[in-house]
Amino acid sequence: MRRFTTAALVAATLGAATLTAGPAAHAREDALGPDNCAAGACHFDLPPGTYDVKVLLGGDADSSTAVSGETRRALLPETAVPAGERVARSFTVDVRTPEGEPTGAAGTPGLDLVIGGSAPALADIRVTPARHARQILLIGDSTVCDQPGDPYTGWGQRLPQYLRKGLSVANHADSGESTVTFLSNPLLWETVEARIQPRDLVLIQLAHNDKTTDEATYRANLEALVAGVRAKGGEPVLVTPIVRRWFNADGTLNNNTALLVNGLGVDHPGVIRSVAAAHDVPLIDLTAHSKALVEQLGPEASKALYLYNEKRDNTHTSVRGATAYAGFVRDELVARHLVPEGLVRVG
């Protein structure tokens, strides 16, 4: 059983936590500090909005603490603190309804955090409205979304842990969606469109479910999403899909199944690259990154990236795979100067 040092939840360490009322929230002062944490979990009765969370980690013994929240989102990577020391960490979190997939269950109102890790110790916590946070909104399918049930994990679910205070991830990816269905469902594109603020990044990865979409329609749908993001002042980023773990006899993934070429012969990654080049849109080639990693690991070791061992599933990722692919996205955001290096966590 994990050890959670409830005795270390002392508000006096940093003083009483307070929340200044503003457009994002009106809440009681006692709803925003460690009094709302017990048995490894914290609940804050807050309306939808964007919030900064500051945690003070450490205790009398060596500790190692991670923070997750809402629908299994990784918000802070495991952080080791020597005995007797304290380390402060901050992150920004998106609170919304539904809290996970847009067409899924509403979830629990407010902000829910889980204090985990191999030896968790939380000394204090403070939650305040985020005043100047920039959003990274995600448009995608089941390989990206906030998956509600273990062991399924989307890379968008693991991305927040790589970001520091000032950047939030609003994951609007949804299982089973194609470019056609995402654009036509008011719970999806219309909801994202309404949330886009100037300078927000909108990452678009849709391909896995465009199995019957012809090339002209697929291209037009991507162009419509790009134009819609730009019309709101946002910055679109096209992301090629993660590969399916489908090996050739020679240990490569050079086949239509692995590389997302549909039954009509539409090369989804190829079309995405073409649209990005034609419309001067930043491109994250996650197909290339994931292909290189899966081939490097080989047929046996690469099983751990996907749910092959658990579900004989070569499309959906495990926590390990989603974390690795989220790391590629983080690296590309920095390399392409879409996100300042100071706002990301390395490792």
Side-chain angles (χ1 to χ4, degrees):
M1 180 177 293
R2 288 175 172 171
R3 178 176 56 83
F4 179 70
T5 55
T6 53
L9 292 170
V10 286
T13 304
L14 292 180
T18 59
L19 174 67
T20 303
H26 295 277
R28 305 185 313 274
E29 288 186 359
D30 64 358
L32 299 152
D35 289 345
N36 293 274
C37 301
C42 305
H43 174 76
F44 299 92
D45 186 14
L46 297 167
T50 306
Y51 296 92
D52 291 331
V53 179
K54 181 177 182 179
V55 293
L56 190 68
L57 307 177
D60 295 337
D62 290 345
S63 62
S64 187
T65 308
V67 182
S68 60
E70 298 297 87
T71 303
R72 301 178 59 237
R73 298 182 216 161
L75 299 172
L76 186 70
E78 190 148 349
T79 303
V81 181
E85 297 186 16
R86 299 291 186 272
V87 170
R89 293 287 185 270
S90 298
F91 55 87
T92 302
V93 61
D94 174 58
V95 176
R96 63 182 183 273
T97 302
E99 70 179 26
E101 294 183 88
T103 62
T108 304
L111 172 61
D112 288 284
L113 302 176
V114 175
I115 313 302
S118 56
L122 177 68
D124 202 2
I125 186 167
R126 175 186 173 89
V127 180
T128 55
R131 300 301 185 188
H132 304 291
R134 186 183 184 191
Q135 294 183 107
I136 299 178
L137 296 109
L138 304 183
I139 289 174
D141 53 35
S142 58
T143 65
V144 184
C145 74
D146 287 346
Q147 288 280 2
D150 182 68
Y152 292 91
T153 310
W155 64 254
Q157 205 163 14
R158 305 296 292 177
L159 183 61
Q161 67 182 318
Y162 291 131
L163 307 177
R164 300 181 188 274
K165 175 184 173 183
L167 267 180
S168 71
V169 174
N171 191 350
H172 290 267
D174 196 68
S175 294
E177 306 300 341
S178 66
T179 58
V180 176
T181 60
F182 203 96
L183 280 164
S184 63
N185 189 336
L187 295 176
L188 301 172
W189 168 239
E190 288 183 24
T191 300
V192 173
E193 186 180 30
R195 291 199 60 178
I196 300 171
Q197 298 295 319
R199 295 186 62 251
D200 283 347
L201 293 175
V202 183
L203 275 57
I204 303 164
Q205 186 217 278
L206 287 167
H208 280 272
N209 300 301
D210 279 279
K211 298 174 183 177
T212 60
T213 309
D214 63 80
E215 183 168 339
T217 301
Y218 185 64
R219 181 181 297 271
N221 288 344
L222 292 175
E223 291 173 337
L225 288 167
V226 166
V229 172
R230 285 176 167 168
K232 296 287 290 186
E235 300 182 27
V237 180
L238 288 172
V239 183
T240 60
I242 65 170
V243 295
R244 294 191 179 99
R245 186 190 157 278
W246 199 269
F247 283 93
N248 297 327
D250 63 0
T252 68
L253 300 178
N254 297 317
N255 59 77
N256 288 354
T257 299
L259 298 181
L260 282 297
V261 178
N262 74 10
L264 301 177
V266 179
D267 177 354
H268 292 106
V271 175
I272 294 169
R273 295 177 188 121
S274 174
V275 171
H279 296 277
D280 194 25
V281 179
L283 174 75
I284 295 177
D285 200 338
L286 201 50
T287 303
H289 282 298
S290 56
K291 178 177 184 290
L293 178 59
V294 172
E295 288 182 338
Q296 175 189 346
L297 291 174
E300 189 60 35
S302 65
K303 291 177 180 178
L305 298 177
Y306 292 82
L307 298 179
Y308 179 86
N309 294 323
E310 300 89 343
K311 304 287 185 178
R312 295 297 188 268
D313 186 332
N314 291 304
T315 298
H316 297 97
T317 48
S318 63
V319 169
R320 177 179 169 182
T323 303
Y325 296 158
F328 291 141
V329 173
R330 171 204 58 192
D331 295 344
E332 287 288 315
L333 290 173
V334 173
R336 298 184 181 281
H337 305 291
L338 297 168
V339 169
E341 189 171 356
L343 289 181
V344 303
R345 304 181 198 277
V346 179

